[in-house]
């Protein structure tokens, strides 16, 4: 069966229905599979890592997670491996995992929880719902409350800053940036800057250095695993054509829907604005 967080059907309602129609059965999960790096992080943050039996590729935080077998990557889900593991809960990323894979898992009788934050503010609710499902309510409440408080402080701090033009990129071969619908664009909004490709019709467009130069941003943000030296060197050939500062941001902290977003966002905004 599938547990979906929608207005019509919430985890709370599902639990109530189980209690009413199936008492004294309790919905408790002991074997969990995580299908995305951020859902793996959330399970660890909630203190339920002892129930994890498998994760996805790039589940590398905390480091212990990388020791677990992987049953999902960008190509899809390893159904045979999951069937062998017989998890009683699969925590999936709605919007990241392939819809057809999730539909097939549900059709096979597995219980799924869908993590699907659309904005940074949604992460608090995701933490609460997953924490309740895993019977870690108290820890989830503390994590969610702290996250919401810290996020509000960051939003308020940069609410009135002058909007600078910035170029945000996550890959160099090809040079890939973000459009208005991309997750990272919401982070730039919080930091009080204008993404020069916000008008792109696609969330992650490929662009050229010439297109970047034509927009004349004053800041270049490399959200990728690279050094400050290498990021600066990449733009060296554009000297004289583009007068822009280069900064590096941690993509894992910024692009995963977990409590670590606060540290990444705080660092990004401070690098952009100087405070």
């Amino acid at each position: 069966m599938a547990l979906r967080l929608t207005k019509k059907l919430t985890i709370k309602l599902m639990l109530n229905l189980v209690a009413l129609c199936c008492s004294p059965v309790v919905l408790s999960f002991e074997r969990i599979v995580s299908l995305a790096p951020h859902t793996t992080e959330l399970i660890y943050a909630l203190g339920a890592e002892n129930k994890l039996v498998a994760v996805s590729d790039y589940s590398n935080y905390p480091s212990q997670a990388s020791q677990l077998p992987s049953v999902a990557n960008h190509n899809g889900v390893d159904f045979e491996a999951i069937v062998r593991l017989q998890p009683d809960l699969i925590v999936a990323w709605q919007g990241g995992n392939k819809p057809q894979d999730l539909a097939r898992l549900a059709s096979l009788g597995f219980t799924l929880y869908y993590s699907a934050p659309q904005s940074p503010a949604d992460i608090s609710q995701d933490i609460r719902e997953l924490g309740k499902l895993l019977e870690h309510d108290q820890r989830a409440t503390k994590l969610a409350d702290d996250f919401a408080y810290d996020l509000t402080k960051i939003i308020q701090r940069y609410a009135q800053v002058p909007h600078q033009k910035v170029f945000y990129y996550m890959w160099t071969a090809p040079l890939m940036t973000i459009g208005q619908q991309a997750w990272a664009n919401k982070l730039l909004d919080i930091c009080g800057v204008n993404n020069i490709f916000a008008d792109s019709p696609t969330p992650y467009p490929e662009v050229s250095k010439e297109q970047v130069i034509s927009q004349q941003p004053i800041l270049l943000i490399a959200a990728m695993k690279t050094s400050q030296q290498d990021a600066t060197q990449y733009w060296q050939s554009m000297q004289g054509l583009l007068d822009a500062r280069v900064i590096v941001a941690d993509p894992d902290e910024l692009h995963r829907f977990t409590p670590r977003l606060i540290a990444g966002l705080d660092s990004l905004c401070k690098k952009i604005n100087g405070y």
Side-chain angles (χ1 to χ4, degrees):
M1 82 180 164
L3 300 178
R4 295 179 181 272
L5 295 181
T6 66
K7 292 182 179 179
K8 294 182 179 179
L9 179 63
T10 64
I11 297 298
K12 181 178 179 181
L13 178 57
M14 179 62 76
L15 293 174
N16 288 341
L17 288 174
V18 170
L20 287 172
C21 72
C22 307
S23 183
V25 175
V26 177
L27 205 60
S28 182
F29 303 106
E30 299 300 328
R31 295 180 60 80
I32 303 172
V33 164
S34 168
L35 298 184
H38 87 269
T39 56
T40 301
E41 280 195 36
L42 285 179
I43 292 166
Y44 271 89
L46 289 166
E49 66 273 12
N50 61 311
K51 299 181 179 182
L52 272 171
V53 295
V55 296
S56 70
D57 279 9
Y58 301 106
S59 288
N60 53 13
Y61 188 90
S63 59
Q64 305 94 294
S66 60
Q67 299 172 13
L68 290 165
S70 175
V71 294
N73 56 34
H74 67 280
N75 291 318
V77 168
D78 185 340
F79 292 98
E80 290 185 5
I82 291 176
V83 169
R84 285 195 302 270
L85 288 167
Q86 284 298 298
D88 47 30
L89 178 66
I90 297 174
V91 183
W93 175 15
Q94 191 170 45
N97 297 124
K98 294 181 178 180
Q100 61 270 32
D101 286 353
L102 302 184
R104 183 179 174 190
L105 288 170
S107 72
L108 290 171
F110 291 111
T111 299
L112 282 86
Y113 171 90
Y114 296 98
S115 173
Q118 299 301 304
S119 71
D122 293 341
I123 294 174
S124 290
Q125 186 63 18
D126 200 30
I127 293 170
R128 293 182 200 278
E129 296 289 358
L130 185 56
K132 181 168 187 177
L133 194 62
L134 300 181
E135 300 177 295
H136 285 251
D137 305 58
Q138 187 172 355
R139 187 160 183 169
T141 297
K142 177 69 164 58
L143 282 172
D145 287 349
D146 287 349
F147 182 92
Y149 176 77
D150 292 339
L151 179 62
T152 298
K153 284 202 307 181
I154 295 174
I155 291 172
Q156 292 174 344
R157 186 188 309 151
Y158 301 104
Q160 304 299 324
V161 297
H163 282 211
Q164 308 173 76
K165 292 170 63 176
V166 304
F167 174 61
Y168 187 102
Y169 63 102
M170 302 178 298
W171 201 253
T172 56
L175 187 57
M176 183 178 292
T177 184
I178 57 171
Q180 186 174 14
Q181 300 305 314
W183 171 265
N185 195 62
K186 298 176 174 65
L187 307 183
L188 295 181
D189 285 343
I190 291 173
C191 292
V193 291
N194 291 331
N195 166 21
I196 61 172
F197 290 103
D199 60 351
S200 171
T202 59
Y204 300 99
E206 294 178 14
V207 297
S208 65
K209 284 184 176 180
E210 289 71 25
Q211 286 175 289
V212 176
I213 292 170
S214 71
Q215 294 289 334
Q216 287 295 298
I218 66 169
L219 187 64
L220 307 171
I221 305 170
M224 50 193 294
K225 295 293 186 180
T226 188
S227 67
Q228 180 65 51
Q229 180 179 352
D230 286 346
T232 302
Q233 182 65 36
Y234 177 75
W235 295 98
Q236 200 70 35
S237 62
M238 300 294 113
Q239 274 192 337
L241 300 174
L242 183 62
D243 183 17
R245 186 163 53 98
V246 181
I247 63 173
V248 176
D250 188 322
D252 289 348
E253 288 183 346
L254 293 174
H255 301 157
R256 296 184 184 181
F257 319 132
T258 75
R260 282 205 300 158
L261 174 67
I262 294 299
L265 182 59
D266 185 57
S267 174
L268 175 65
C269 292
K270 285 177 177 176
K271 286 180 178 180
I272 289 173
N273 295 290
Y275 67 94

